[in-house]
């Protein structure tokens, strides 16, 4: 593996190159020092090209020689083309683990879409470190200080990749990590199926569920340095929130995942990473989802088993218990129609859980308790019964899975097809389309 650094010979780029060299030494990787020249076509001759090439090679080799202190390995490359495209292509050829570019000093004209750093972030298949201030990273890489990292954390694949890179940084040196999650309170309440409160933007129940799930996404963090989750509810843009928090926490580095959106998707959803690169007062590490291979084996500890109490629905409950290990839990769920016919706008905020209040809920809860396999207790599997109201069964199921932090949804499918499916619909299919959790489907015998 190796690190690719793009230089334009500016003083700022040289300062960043020194930090890149120290980081390459810390990771045990080769630093590829790349200069890309964009030759003009007017008055161009073979002689002038060769003269310019010799001059650039001399400057490049001199810079590489300055960086080769101790046992730091540096390779120099002079290439021609569009800087961002060449850097990305070279990184792919040498199987780079990281591309480093300086935030300033690029000579590409501003009329092009974005600068070199932004375009590299847009297309690179490996993480891209945009250096604004090189000294904190260099001092950290030399083991002289701890690194203050602000991690943008959400529930997307790019965020998962960003978390993996923060873990890698902590194996290299001490890092204090603030994992920040910016969200809209109403969205969070819908996610977990919890009613909004007129007293506060976010209820303690939703805040607790978010903190639980985000902490789980962080997983075990190796190395030294404090790690904590910061919840930031509000209507501002995520990029604005992260940049403001970086200033407040005096962060040295912001780490964010990037969707690498293009075209209409980028126009519609915007680019958080691009906005942060523009506005952040510190260096930014952008990590695409493709940068990390998720080959770890997930652990199943909690399984949600929804049932409509039909013979087919009941059959899935046995399978739910079969995939839970000792010490795990199964959540038996039944969804009732909204009590009293709630109006459409408020129906989605009906209380979906809590103590059994009505005789109907108590009756259904008793039926569910009677479906618990006798050997469940012997295997050390606990059971919790949930009877909730919901305007849409599939929505209530997904909300319960999020609220209860379940690892898998075990659901029976009635096997409908053709006209029957079109008329009656398929709860299983709707759950599959929306769920962020794995879904285990049990077909009727």
């Amino acid at each position: 593996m190796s690190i690719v650094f793009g230089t334009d010979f500016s003083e700022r780029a040289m300062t960043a190159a020194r930090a890149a060299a120290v980081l390459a030494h810390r990771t045990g990787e080769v630093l590829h020092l790349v200069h890309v020249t964009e030759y003009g076509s007017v008055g161009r001759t073979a002689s002038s090209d060769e003269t310019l090439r010799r001059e650039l090679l001399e400057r490049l080799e001199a810079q590489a020689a300055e960086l080769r202190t101790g046992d730091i390995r540096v390779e120099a490359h002079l290439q021609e083309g569009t800087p961002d495209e060449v850097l990305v292509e070279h990184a792919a050829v040498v199987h780079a683990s990281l591309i480093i570019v300086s935030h300033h000093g690029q000579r590409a004209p501003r009329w092009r879409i974005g600068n070199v750093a932004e375009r590299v972030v847009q297309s690179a298949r490996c993480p891209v470190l945009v250096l604004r201030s090189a000294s904190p990273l260099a001092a950290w890489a030399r083991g002289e200080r701890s690194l203050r990292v602000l991690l943008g954390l959400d529930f997307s694949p790019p965020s998962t990749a960003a978390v993996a890179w923060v873990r890698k940084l902590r194996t290299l040196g001490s890092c204090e990590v603030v994992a920040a999650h910016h969200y809209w309170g109403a969205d969070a309440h819908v996610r977990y199926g919890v009613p909004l409160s007129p007293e506060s933007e976010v209820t303690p129940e939703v805040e607790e569920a978010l903190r639980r799930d985000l902490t789980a996404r962080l997983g075990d963090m190796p190395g030294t340095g404090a790690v904590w989750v910061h919840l930031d509810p509000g209507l501002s843009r995520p990029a604005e929130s992260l940049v403001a928090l970086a200033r407040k926490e005096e962060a040295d580095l912001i780490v964010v995942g990037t969707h690498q959106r293009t075209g209409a998707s980028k126009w519609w959803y915007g680019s958080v990473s691009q906005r942060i690169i523009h506005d952040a007062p510190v260096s930014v590490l952008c990590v695409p989802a493709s940068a990390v291979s998720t080959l770890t084996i997930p652990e199943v500890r909690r399984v949600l088993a929804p049932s409509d109490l039909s013979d087919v629905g009941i059959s899935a409950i046995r399978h739910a218990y079969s995939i839970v290990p000792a010490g795990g839990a199964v959540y038996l769920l039944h969804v009732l129609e909204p009590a009293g016919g709630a109006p459409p706008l408020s129906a989605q905020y009906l209380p979906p859980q809590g103590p059994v209040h009505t005789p109907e809920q108590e009756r259904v809860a008793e039926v569910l308790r009677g479906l618990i396999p006798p050997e469940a207790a012997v295997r050390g599997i606990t059971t919790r019964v949930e009877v909730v109201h919901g305007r849409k069964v599939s929505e209530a199921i997904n909300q319960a899975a999020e609220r209860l932090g379940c690892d898998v949804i075990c659901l029976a499918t009635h096997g409908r097809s053709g006209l029957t499916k079109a008329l009656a619909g398929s709860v299983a299919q709707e759950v599959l389309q929306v769920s962020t959790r794995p879904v285990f489907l049990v077909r009727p015998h």
Side-chain angles (χ1 to χ4, degrees):
M1 300 294 283
S2 56
I3 294 176
V4 171
F5 178 81
T7 179
D8 62 2
F9 301 130
S10 67
E11 183 56 37
R12 192 178 188 93
M14 189 59 203
T15 301
R18 295 187 188 99
V22 175
L23 184 59
H25 180 256
R26 187 61 179 260
T27 59
E29 296 176 311
V30 177
L31 177 64
H32 289 260
L33 190 65
V34 181
H35 176 75
V36 185
T37 180
E38 295 181 276
Y39 294 129
S41 58
V42 178
R44 179 174 176 177
T45 65
S47 176
S48 64
D49 281 358
E50 184 58 30
T51 300
L52 179 59
R53 182 175 179 80
R54 283 198 303 269
E55 293 175 355
L56 291 174
L57 272 174
E58 289 177 4
R59 296 183 66 184
L60 189 61
E61 286 295 343
Q63 194 174 70
E66 182 181 337
L67 297 174
R68 293 188 188 108
T69 58
D71 54 354
I72 297 178
R73 296 173 293 167
V74 182
E75 295 183 6
H77 305 270
L78 179 62
Q79 299 192 25
E80 180 180 359
T82 305
D84 55 291
E85 294 176 359
V86 172
L87 286 175
V88 171
E89 290 170 2
H90 189 82
V93 169
V94 300
H95 304 290
S97 63
L98 182 67
I99 299 174
I100 302 179
V101 292
S102 176
H103 184 271
H104 294 293
Q106 295 102 354
R107 297 176 179 176
R110 290 297 301 174
W111 55 263
R112 297 182 64 173
I113 302 175
N115 59 22
V116 172
E118 292 165 8
R119 296 196 300 274
V120 170
V121 168
Q122 188 68 30
S123 56
R125 306 308 295 168
C126 65
V128 179
L129 174 58
V130 183
L131 277 177
R132 185 183 288 268
S133 177
S135 56
L137 274 167
W140 168 78
R142 289 191 295 266
E144 298 172 356
R145 54 162 293 181
S146 181
L147 192 69
R148 293 184 62 81
V149 178
L150 175 60
L151 168 65
L153 186 62
D154 57 31
F155 298 98
S156 67
S159 180
T160 301
V163 169
W165 254 83
V166 170
R167 290 196 190 105
K168 180 177 179 179
L169 290 175
R170 286 174 61 87
T171 64
L172 299 173
S174 176
C175 295
E176 299 173 20
V177 181
V178 179
H181 179 69
H182 179 76
Y183 65 103
W184 186 27
D187 281 348
H189 282 80
V190 171
R191 175 189 181 92
Y192 294 108
V194 176
L196 287 168
S197 169
E199 286 81 21
S200 61
E201 183 178 359
V202 183
T203 61
E205 183 182 2
V206 165
E207 188 174 84
E208 180 182 352
L210 270 175
R211 193 175 298 278
R212 176 202 67 203
D213 291 345
L214 292 167
T215 301
R217 289 185 72 80
L218 287 176
D220 295 328
M221 283 283 175
T224 59
V227 180
W228 67 94
V229 174
H230 174 84
L231 298 180
D232 182 28
L235 299 178
S236 63
R237 294 181 178 181
E240 295 173 357
S241 172
L242 283 174
V243 169
L245 187 60
R247 290 193 173 94
K248 178 181 178 182
E249 295 291 336
E250 298 182 343
D252 302 312
L253 176 68
I254 299 176
V255 181
V256 291
T258 174
H259 292 273
Q260 297 182 309
R261 294 189 175 104
T262 59
S265 176
K266 182 178 179 181
W267 176 83
W268 182 258
Y269 293 103
S271 173
V272 174
S273 58
Q274 187 179 63
R275 191 71 262 163
I276 290 176
I277 291 171
H278 268 294
D279 300 338
V282 297
S283 302
V284 181
L285 176 63
C286 298
V287 188
S290 58
V292 176
S293 176
T294 54
L295 297 178
T296 56
I297 300 175
E299 185 179 21
V300 176
R301 302 292 298 174
R302 297 181 175 190
V303 175
L304 180 68
S307 177
D308 60 2
L309 301 182
S310 66
D311 290 341
V312 174
I314 291 173
S315 68
I317 292 178
R318 301 193 311 273
H319 291 278
Y321 283 92
S322 72
I323 60 178
V324 177
V330 172
Y331 294 81
L332 302 182
L333 174 73
H334 182 76
V335 182
L336 296 170
E337 291 294 323
L345 289 178
S346 61
Q348 61 180 317
Y349 300 120
L350 281 170
Q353 65 166 355
V356 175
H357 294 295
T358 68
E360 176 67 5
Q361 286 178 295
E362 177 57 45
R363 183 190 68 79
V364 174
E366 190 61 32
V367 172
L368 287 174
R369 283 190 282 268
L371 299 175
I372 301 173
E375 61 268 32
V378 177
R379 293 189 183 186
I381 301 173
T382 59
T383 303
R384 176 174 167 179
V385 172
E386 293 276 326
V387 181
V388 303
H389 287 103
R391 62 189 179 94
K392 191 174 183 180
V393 174
S394 60
E395 182 180 59
I397 290 173
N398 283 324
Q399 288 174 335
E402 296 292 337
R403 185 176 66 254
L404 300 171
C406 293
D407 304 303
V408 175
I409 301 173
C410 184
L411 182 64
T413 172
H414 288 267
R416 296 190 181 101
S417 61
L419 182 61
T420 305
K421 180 179 177 181
L423 293 175
S426 170
V427 171
Q429 184 182 35
E430 291 173 352
V431 170
L432 276 171
Q433 289 174 341
V434 180
S435 178
T436 62
R437 316 273 171 157
V439 180
F440 182 66
L441 293 180
V442 180
R443 296 185 62 84
H445 296 295

